[in-house]
PDB file of all heavy atoms in Angstrom:
ATOM      1  N   GLN F 154      -4.044  -6.490   6.308  1.00  0.00           N
ATOM      2  CA  GLN F 154      -3.093  -7.272   7.013  1.00  0.00           C
ATOM      3  C   GLN F 154      -2.841  -6.878   8.454  1.00  0.00           C
ATOM      4  O   GLN F 154      -2.723  -7.678   9.313  1.00  0.00           O
ATOM      5  CB  GLN F 154      -1.751  -7.245   6.244  1.00  0.00           C
ATOM      6  CG  GLN F 154      -1.875  -8.003   4.887  1.00  0.00           C
ATOM      7  CD  GLN F 154      -0.657  -7.858   4.034  1.00  0.00           C
ATOM      8  OE1 GLN F 154       0.326  -7.148   4.319  1.00  0.00           O
ATOM      9  NE2 GLN F 154      -0.628  -8.654   2.921  1.00  0.00           N
ATOM     10  N   ARG F 155      -2.775  -5.582   8.729  1.00  0.00           N
ATOM     11  CA  ARG F 155      -2.455  -5.056  10.033  1.00  0.00           C
ATOM     12  C   ARG F 155      -3.681  -4.837  10.885  1.00  0.00           C
ATOM     13  O   ARG F 155      -3.629  -5.059  12.076  1.00  0.00           O
ATOM     14  CB  ARG F 155      -1.688  -3.762   9.923  1.00  0.00           C
ATOM     15  CG  ARG F 155      -0.353  -3.858   9.248  1.00  0.00           C
ATOM     16  CD  ARG F 155       0.647  -4.613  10.164  1.00  0.00           C
ATOM     17  NE  ARG F 155       1.947  -4.583   9.665  1.00  0.00           N
ATOM     18  CZ  ARG F 155       2.976  -3.942  10.186  1.00  0.00           C
ATOM     19  NH1 ARG F 155       2.786  -3.346  11.345  1.00  0.00           N
ATOM     20  NH2 ARG F 155       4.133  -3.984   9.666  1.00  0.00           N
ATOM     21  N   MET F 156      -4.737  -4.408  10.254  1.00  0.00           N
ATOM     22  CA  MET F 156      -5.934  -4.082  11.025  1.00  0.00           C
ATOM     23  C   MET F 156      -6.954  -5.275  11.023  1.00  0.00           C
ATOM     24  O   MET F 156      -7.899  -5.293  11.737  1.00  0.00           O
ATOM     25  CB  MET F 156      -6.700  -2.881  10.467  1.00  0.00           C
ATOM     26  CG  MET F 156      -5.893  -1.621  10.497  1.00  0.00           C
ATOM     27  SD  MET F 156      -5.646  -0.849  12.059  1.00  0.00           S
ATOM     28  CE  MET F 156      -7.301  -0.247  12.427  1.00  0.00           C
ATOM     29  N   GLY F 157      -6.684  -6.288  10.211  1.00  0.00           N
ATOM     30  CA  GLY F 157      -7.504  -7.492  10.195  1.00  0.00           C
ATOM     31  C   GLY F 157      -8.800  -7.344   9.528  1.00  0.00           C
ATOM     32  O   GLY F 157      -9.691  -8.171   9.778  1.00  0.00           O
ATOM     33  N   LEU F 158      -9.001  -6.276   8.757  1.00  0.00           N
ATOM     34  CA  LEU F 158     -10.271  -6.165   8.030  1.00  0.00           C
ATOM     35  C   LEU F 158     -10.362  -7.078   6.826  1.00  0.00           C
ATOM     36  O   LEU F 158      -9.330  -7.215   6.120  1.00  0.00           O
ATOM     37  CB  LEU F 158     -10.473  -4.707   7.590  1.00  0.00           C
ATOM     38  CG  LEU F 158     -10.566  -3.629   8.695  1.00  0.00           C
ATOM     39  CD1 LEU F 158     -10.616  -2.239   8.067  1.00  0.00           C
ATOM     40  CD2 LEU F 158     -11.832  -3.878   9.524  1.00  0.00           C
ATOM     41  N   SER F 159     -11.489  -7.699   6.596  1.00  0.00           N
ATOM     42  CA  SER F 159     -11.642  -8.538   5.374  1.00  0.00           C
ATOM     43  C   SER F 159     -11.831  -7.541   4.222  1.00  0.00           C
ATOM     44  O   SER F 159     -12.101  -6.333   4.395  1.00  0.00           O
ATOM     45  CB  SER F 159     -12.873  -9.351   5.490  1.00  0.00           C
ATOM     46  OG  SER F 159     -14.100  -8.587   5.517  1.00  0.00           O
ATOM     47  N   LEU F 160     -11.687  -8.066   2.996  1.00  0.00           N
ATOM     48  CA  LEU F 160     -11.961  -7.245   1.797  1.00  0.00           C
ATOM     49  C   LEU F 160     -13.384  -6.748   1.788  1.00  0.00           C
ATOM     50  O   LEU F 160     -13.670  -5.596   1.295  1.00  0.00           O
ATOM     51  CB  LEU F 160     -11.612  -7.957   0.534  1.00  0.00           C
ATOM     52  CG  LEU F 160     -10.092  -8.204   0.359  1.00  0.00           C
ATOM     53  CD1 LEU F 160      -9.828  -9.139  -0.840  1.00  0.00           C
ATOM     54  CD2 LEU F 160      -9.323  -6.962   0.221  1.00  0.00           C
ATOM     55  N   GLU F 161     -14.324  -7.559   2.291  1.00  0.00           N
ATOM     56  CA  GLU F 161     -15.720  -7.102   2.365  1.00  0.00           C
ATOM     57  C   GLU F 161     -15.868  -5.906   3.313  1.00  0.00           C
ATOM     58  O   GLU F 161     -16.642  -4.964   3.064  1.00  0.00           O
ATOM     59  CB  GLU F 161     -16.647  -8.258   2.735  1.00  0.00           C
ATOM     60  CG  GLU F 161     -16.713  -9.387   1.777  1.00  0.00           C
ATOM     61  CD  GLU F 161     -15.499 -10.318   1.751  1.00  0.00           C
ATOM     62  OE1 GLU F 161     -14.798 -10.465   2.814  1.00  0.00           O
ATOM     63  OE2 GLU F 161     -15.234 -10.892   0.708  1.00  0.00           O
ATOM     64  N   GLU F 162     -15.191  -5.949   4.438  1.00  0.00           N
ATOM     65  CA  GLU F 162     -15.260  -4.881   5.441  1.00  0.00           C
ATOM     66  C   GLU F 162     -14.602  -3.651   4.822  1.00  0.00           C
ATOM     67  O   GLU F 162     -15.085  -2.511   5.045  1.00  0.00           O
ATOM     68  CB  GLU F 162     -14.563  -5.268   6.733  1.00  0.00           C
ATOM     69  CG  GLU F 162     -15.342  -6.279   7.536  1.00  0.00           C
ATOM     70  CD  GLU F 162     -14.492  -6.821   8.733  1.00  0.00           C
ATOM     71  OE1 GLU F 162     -13.325  -7.172   8.536  1.00  0.00           O
ATOM     72  OE2 GLU F 162     -15.074  -6.896   9.825  1.00  0.00           O
ATOM     73  N   ILE F 163     -13.544  -3.780   4.163  1.00  0.00           N
ATOM     74  CA  ILE F 163     -12.886  -2.651   3.489  1.00  0.00           C
ATOM     75  C   ILE F 163     -13.805  -2.050   2.435  1.00  0.00           C
ATOM     76  O   ILE F 163     -13.939  -0.801   2.363  1.00  0.00           O
ATOM     77  CB  ILE F 163     -11.525  -3.044   2.850  1.00  0.00           C
ATOM     78  CG1 ILE F 163     -10.559  -3.434   3.973  1.00  0.00           C
ATOM     79  CG2 ILE F 163     -10.927  -1.917   1.986  1.00  0.00           C
ATOM     80  CD1 ILE F 163      -9.261  -4.049   3.490  1.00  0.00           C
ATOM     81  N   ALA F 164     -14.502  -2.883   1.684  1.00  0.00           N
ATOM     82  CA  ALA F 164     -15.414  -2.357   0.666  1.00  0.00           C
ATOM     83  C   ALA F 164     -16.580  -1.599   1.298  1.00  0.00           C
ATOM     84  O   ALA F 164     -17.157  -0.725   0.667  1.00  0.00           O
ATOM     85  CB  ALA F 164     -15.994  -3.517  -0.104  1.00  0.00           C
ATOM     86  N   ALA F 165     -16.878  -1.900   2.560  1.00  0.00           N
ATOM     87  CA  ALA F 165     -18.006  -1.169   3.210  1.00  0.00           C
ATOM     88  C   ALA F 165     -17.573   0.178   3.857  1.00  0.00           C
ATOM     89  O   ALA F 165     -18.415   0.943   4.281  1.00  0.00           O
ATOM     90  CB  ALA F 165     -18.670  -2.046   4.302  1.00  0.00           C
ATOM     91  N   LEU F 166     -16.264   0.372   3.976  1.00  0.00           N
ATOM     92  CA  LEU F 166     -15.767   1.615   4.607  1.00  0.00           C
ATOM     93  C   LEU F 166     -16.179   2.847   3.776  1.00  0.00           C
ATOM     94  O   LEU F 166     -16.091   2.831   2.590  1.00  0.00           O
ATOM     95  CB  LEU F 166     -14.255   1.558   4.773  1.00  0.00           C
ATOM     96  CG  LEU F 166     -13.713   0.553   5.791  1.00  0.00           C
ATOM     97  CD1 LEU F 166     -12.198   0.574   5.785  1.00  0.00           C
ATOM     98  CD2 LEU F 166     -14.218   0.885   7.230  1.00  0.00           C
ATOM     99  N   GLU F 167     -16.398   3.891   4.527  1.00  0.00           N
ATOM    100  CA  GLU F 167     -16.567   5.276   3.908  1.00  0.00           C
ATOM    101  C   GLU F 167     -15.546   6.132   4.444  1.00  0.00           C
ATOM    102  O   GLU F 167     -15.018   5.917   5.543  1.00  0.00           O
ATOM    103  CB  GLU F 167     -18.038   5.745   4.228  1.00  0.00           C
ATOM    104  CG  GLU F 167     -19.129   4.908   3.653  1.00  0.00           C
ATOM    105  CD  GLU F 167     -19.140   4.904   2.135  1.00  0.00           C
ATOM    106  OE1 GLU F 167     -18.754   5.864   1.591  1.00  0.00           O
ATOM    107  OE2 GLU F 167     -19.648   3.953   1.619  1.00  0.00           O
ATOM    108  N   ALA F 168     -15.171   7.143   3.722  1.00  0.00           N
ATOM    109  CA  ALA F 168     -14.164   8.085   4.117  1.00  0.00           C
ATOM    110  C   ALA F 168     -14.441   8.719   5.506  1.00  0.00           C
ATOM    111  O   ALA F 168     -13.529   9.050   6.224  1.00  0.00           O
ATOM    112  CB  ALA F 168     -13.950   9.157   3.046  1.00  0.00           C
ATOM    113  N   GLU F 169     -15.696   8.945   5.799  1.00  0.00           N
ATOM    114  CA  GLU F 169     -16.029   9.641   7.018  1.00  0.00           C
ATOM    115  C   GLU F 169     -15.930   8.730   8.266  1.00  0.00           C
ATOM    116  O   GLU F 169     -16.056   9.188   9.377  1.00  0.00           O
ATOM    117  CB  GLU F 169     -17.474  10.188   7.017  1.00  0.00           C
ATOM    118  CG  GLU F 169     -17.651  11.229   5.856  1.00  0.00           C
ATOM    119  CD  GLU F 169     -17.794  10.635   4.534  1.00  0.00           C
ATOM    120  OE1 GLU F 169     -18.324   9.532   4.375  1.00  0.00           O
ATOM    121  OE2 GLU F 169     -17.332  11.285   3.598  1.00  0.00           O
TER     122      GLU F 169
END
Side-chain angles (χ1 to χ4, degrees):
Q154 294 175 350
R155 297 288 188 114
M156 301 288 287
L158 295 174
S159 69
L160 290 172
E161 293 78 24
E162 290 171 312
I163 293 170
L166 290 174
E167 295 296 332
E169 299 76 33

